[in-house]
Amino acid sequence: MSSLHHPSDETLVRLAAGMLVGGPSIVVSAHLAGCAACRDAVGLFEAVGGVLLEQTAPSGDIPDGLARVRAAIERGPEPATTQRLPRRPPNLPNDIVWPAALGHSEFANWRWLAPGIRVSKSIDGELRLLRVAPGKSLLRHGHSGLEWTYIMAGSFVDGRARFRPGDICEVDGDIDHRPVIGDEEDCICLIAAEGNARPHGLIGRVHQVIFNT
Amino acid sequence: MNVLATHLDLRFTRQAFGFGAGRMSKANDPLAAEFDRCVLAVAASSDREAFAELYGHFAPRVKGYLARLGAPLNLAEDLAQETMITVWRKAAMFDPSRASASTWIFTIARNLRIDRFRREKAADTFELDPSEAQDHPPGADITMIADERDERIHSALGSLSAEQLTIVQLAFFEDRPHSEISRTLGLPLGTVKSRVRLALGHLRTLLADLQ
């Protein structure tokens, strides 16, 4: 799965820096799992972080710091916390590759939003899975913040390009887009946003419902 | 998280990081290789002296780094301590061909900080863990690769313009960097995005052969 559309460098820097957290970091990480070029870029930006750490002026000593660290080490590790099993939403096509980045996320059942459009929210509210029937379109909408969409199945065209499985569609406040789903199959996407979508029409309002319910 | 911004301006960042007056080329810089060696010694033989050396160098820097991110003093100390405990416990996962000791420790501190926020939010998000399985057994020959990369990054940062260096740093230190870049550099918000793209593109061009 070789992607044509990647997160911006700025997004990759923020991920490396620990500044992209929550839903957006999961969506971008889903893309990274299949994109060696972006993994390399994040590795490079992490090394920039290492250099910035190295160049940070040391702050004052931590009182008894080393002794307290040694005592904690002597006490042994904390008991490992048990991990919950990831929960896929029901009725996903069998050939969908469930991103490892979603290992900690749990999703609710699909909800009907509009004809041909269903949504499943993650329990923590950070993520949305959107499933849209072939040929459907979402009305033009903009964003007050950044939004990342990772395509798991199907495709869509948003006036700029066609996005396919493995791709990331990153849009920000400057872009009004109107995704049109490809004819071949249902489009299943994983979406996270910073800020809220600004709808320009009915389905745009549906889009707002996706994020604000 | 924008507390840092108030402390950060162009002169401060240039001086704090001391570009230009910094370390020599990596081949002549025994420090990075020494820290790699220390982590490997902790992994191989639970070497307490090597760990003390790592602690002395990195604990105050991790604390300083987190303070620059706006963490209150007690939280910055707490996370710096946790970072060093993790260095001890996970030393066997350190792979010097993939990352220098400073990059590895940076990612540990970053992940602990994200974890802390996640627990505070009681939300459930993905943990980035770059320190998974090792592909290569560590050895002196490959140790140099990541250290040399760091040195190249150091000089690449030094050769950025003041504006571009600030943009890169704010991307690391700001939750929402655009408004801060706009304020710090006196740029209209509308042009910030393209300046960020240019700055990061320039950095990647300088480092293209490292990827």
Side-chain angles (χ1 to χ4, degrees), chain A residues 22 25-26 29 100-104, chain B residues 114 118 124-129:
Chain A
S25 77
I26 294 177
S29 297
L102 287 170
H104 294 278
Chain B
I114 293 173
R118 182 166 61 192
D124 204 15
T125 57
F126 175 60
E127 178 177 355
L128 281 160
D129 189 359

Side-chain angles (χ1 to χ4, degrees), chain A residues 9-23 25-26 29 32 37 40-66 68-70 72-78 84 100-106 124 126 172 174-175 194-195, chain B residues 1 16-19 23 31 35 48-49 51-52 55 57-65 68-69 77 80-81 84-85 88-89 102-103 105-107 110 113-114 121 123-128 130 149-150 153-154 157 168-169 171-178 193 196-197 200-201 203-204 207 210-211:
Chain A
D9 278 350
E10 187 178 7
T11 291
L12 296 176
V13 166
R14 290 177 64 203
L15 188 76
M19 287 299 177
L20 193 75
V21 296
S25 77
I26 294 177
S29 297
L32 289 188
D40 287 349
V42 169
L44 186 72
F45 290 137
E46 284 173 340
V48 172
V51 169
L52 291 179
L53 172 66
E54 192 59 51
Q55 299 299 325
T56 299
S59 68
D61 282 341
I62 300 170
D64 296 326
L66 182 56
R68 286 192 287 133
V69 162
R70 283 196 163 134
I73 290 166
E74 300 293 327
R75 282 197 298 274
E78 310 269 321
R84 271 185 298 156
L102 287 170
H104 294 278
S105 300
E106 201 174 345
D124 59 20
E126 296 266 357
D172 70 13
D174 296 351
I175 296 170
E194 294 174 342
Chain B
M1 277 308 301
F17 289 108
F19 287 114
R23 288 145 50 180
L31 210 52
F35 293 134
R48 289 165 66 95
E49 275 179 36
F51 182 73
Y55 186 95
H57 183 79
F58 284 106
R61 283 175 173 78
V62 171
K63 179 184 158 192
Y65 191 95
R68 277 193 74 191
L69 287 171
E77 286 193 351
Q81 295 283 85
M84 297 315 296
I85 292 169
W88 175 274
R89 289 190 179 141
S102 57
T103 296
I105 292 170
F106 166 77
T107 60
R110 172 198 69 189
R113 178 176 160 273
I114 293 173
K121 270 189 64 193
D124 204 15
T125 57
F126 175 60
E127 178 177 355
L128 281 160
R149 180 168 77 166
D150 281 17
I153 289 170
H154 181 79
L157 291 175
V168 170
Q169 289 173 346
F172 271 86
F173 289 110
E174 283 298 321
D175 256 351
R176 309 259 166 154
H178 283 196
K193 191 169 61 159
V196 171
R197 196 181 304 130
L200 296 176
L203 181 62
R204 282 186 70 163
L207 301 170
L210 295 182
Q211 288 182 58

Side-chain angles (χ1 to χ4, degrees), chain A residues 124-141:
Chain A
D124 59 20
E126 296 266 357
L127 295 160
R128 303 290 183 273
L129 275 169
L130 194 60
R131 182 169 184 164
V132 187
K136 284 275 171 194
S137 64
L138 300 174
L139 277 201
R140 190 176 298 282
H141 66 280

